[in-house]
Amino acid sequence: MVVDVHAHCIPKEFHAWLRQNGSSVGAEVVESDSGTCVRFPYGVETGGQFGWPTLTDTDGRLAAMDAMGIDVQVLAGWIDLVGYEIDSRNAIEYANAHNRALVEEQARHPERFRSLATVPLQAPDLAVEALAYAMTELGMAGVQVATNVRGKYLDEVDGLDAFWEAAEDLAAFVLLHPVRPLSSIDLNRYFLSNAVGRPAETSIALGGLIMSGVMERFPNLVICAVHGAGFIPFQIGRLEQAYHKVPGLAQQRLEQPPSRSLGRIYADSIVHDPETLAFLVERMGTERVVLGTDYPFPMGDQDPVALIRSTPGLTDRAIESILGDNAMRLFD
């Protein structure tokens, strides 16, 4: 069984819901130079991917999965539509509409799809409510969370421990995904905004979760950081150095060295290089790496099975674990 834990979808039903109801909750569908976008409060506007047919095309998705050798794909929303800018009074309606639409997409091919919820992290109490509804009523497998909420990284958001506790209690698979990376820095040249900015954004968010003690306080929390967990696995030594040499800052909320927390985190396989993946597996352990594609985006991995099978040093058992056994253990 080959399982893709990192893929994106805008269900047809959510397209329709946003066009009909979006403006009433603060998510207006607009046309711009970059295509069809969604405009949120505080001047935040998505890119033109809202109009991408590949994000909505179920038949095309299944054909792509077959071509890549993927049996099951875990559907998450397009990260730019998490809606953290929406006011609290409308946030739960927006999240529930999104999640119901994604579950309808899953239900079309239940043997091929699972799904991850969107929840309003800008209102942690509502995020707890939305997650419980998504998992206990809708049967979703977990939740996708963005790296920052209105410009604040996750460790800076007040009251979010209630959400982490709920995610742990519900055994939710939490996919950590970058959004609007390093927005204060101009990285448009050379496509650095994606090639460097996205893994850097993930690294900052994941580093904050580690150093703030989230992984210690919730040791059974299942967090998977995309794009190979950013740069953290490759620079964990710097967090260790900070912990030991600058304790006044780095040990404020930790009882154990950061490497212990890293050992509780999962990473997807999207690193685009067999040698890099070999290091990631050695650093994280074969049981902590799972296959991802980032479908349908061009910076994703269009041949993930080949990447994993070509990674030097992996045993047949390790390959099978990364291809799908690890994910199935988490979702079953």
Side-chain angles (χ1 to χ4, degrees):
M1 181 74 71
V2 178
V3 182
D4 173 13
V5 306
H6 176 187
H8 300 285
C9 175
I10 305 177
K12 293 182 178 68
E13 288 80 6
F14 194 56
H15 254 273
W17 186 89
L18 272 176
R19 289 185 181 280
Q20 182 175 352
N21 304 290
S23 59
S24 67
V25 300
E28 182 183 7
V29 178
V30 298
E31 299 298 328
S32 73
D33 292 341
S34 61
T36 305
C37 302
V38 180
R39 183 175 296 150
F40 293 103
Y42 311 108
V44 174
E45 188 171 287
T46 69
Q49 285 92 335
F50 184 69
W52 276 26
T54 47
L55 279 162
T56 305
D57 180 7
T58 304
D59 291 339
R61 179 181 301 274
L62 290 169
M65 289 168 60
D66 291 341
M68 290 186 286
I70 292 170
D71 299 302
V72 176
Q73 189 172 81
V74 183
L75 305 176
W78 178 33
I79 194 64
D80 283 28
L81 293 181
V82 288
Y84 294 163
E85 294 79 20
I86 293 174
D87 291 342
S88 296
R89 67 181 183 276
N90 296 316
I92 196 77
E93 180 182 357
Y94 177 90
N96 287 347
H98 176 278
N99 296 338
R100 284 192 292 265
L102 206 54
V103 167
E104 288 185 46
E105 181 73 12
Q106 174 185 336
R108 292 189 177 94
H109 298 276
E111 76 286 357
R112 303 299 304 272
F113 296 146
R114 301 210 181 180
S115 57
L116 300 179
T118 286
V119 300
L121 292 187
Q122 69 272 34
D125 56 334
L126 297 181
V128 170
E129 179 183 336
L131 182 62
Y133 173 71
M135 295 194 66
T136 61
E137 300 294 328
L138 299 180
M140 303 184 86
V143 59
Q144 176 181 239
V145 300
T147 45
N148 72 78
V149 179
R150 299 182 185 178
K152 287 187 175 183
Y153 286 100
L154 297 177
D155 65 292
E156 302 175 299
V157 178
D158 291 337
L160 211 53
D161 268 9
F163 170 74
W164 300 127
E165 182 178 10
E168 183 182 55
D169 290 345
L170 290 164
F173 178 84
V174 181
L175 190 72
L176 176 64
H177 197 291
V179 67
R180 303 180 189 98
L182 309 182
S183 58
S184 63
I185 304 173
D186 183 3
L187 292 175
N188 289 325
R189 64 194 187 283
Y190 321 124
F191 206 53
L192 291 176
S193 58
N194 195 307
V196 173
R198 287 193 179 273
E201 174 78 9
T202 297
S203 302
I204 295 169
L206 187 57
L209 292 178
I210 291 172
M211 301 304 281
S212 67
V214 167
M215 303 309 299
E216 286 187 1
R217 294 195 297 279
F218 307 102
N220 295 315
L221 185 63
V222 178
I223 289 184
C224 178
V226 302
H227 310 137
F231 305 130
I232 292 295
F234 309 94
Q235 293 287 352
I236 187 62
R238 292 190 66 82
L239 294 185
E240 291 281 298
Q241 184 76 351
Y243 177 84
H244 291 293
K245 299 300 183 180
V246 195
L249 292 175
Q251 287 188 26
Q252 288 182 21
R253 303 181 71 179
L254 283 179
E255 298 292 334
Q256 302 169 340
S259 58
R260 296 289 296 274
S261 292
L262 181 65
R264 300 186 177 104
I265 291 164
Y266 291 81
D268 78 9
S269 61
I270 306 176
V271 294
H272 303 290
D273 176 71
E275 299 287 344
T276 304
L277 185 57
F279 176 85
L280 180 66
V281 173
E282 181 179 1
R283 173 73 265 187
M284 303 292 288
T286 57
E287 74 284 355
R288 292 279 169 172
V289 179
V290 289
L291 182 149
T293 65
D294 208 358
Y295 181 86
F297 295 109
M299 282 297 286
D301 189 344
Q302 284 82 41
D303 199 1
V305 176
L307 172 68
I308 292 165
R309 292 196 182 282
S310 67
T311 297
L314 294 186
T315 64
D316 290 344
R317 183 71 195 94
I319 289 171
E320 293 305 311
S321 295
I322 297 166
L323 288 178
D325 288 355
N326 291 339
M328 293 304 296
R329 184 181 70 251
L330 293 172
F331 296 137
D332 285 346

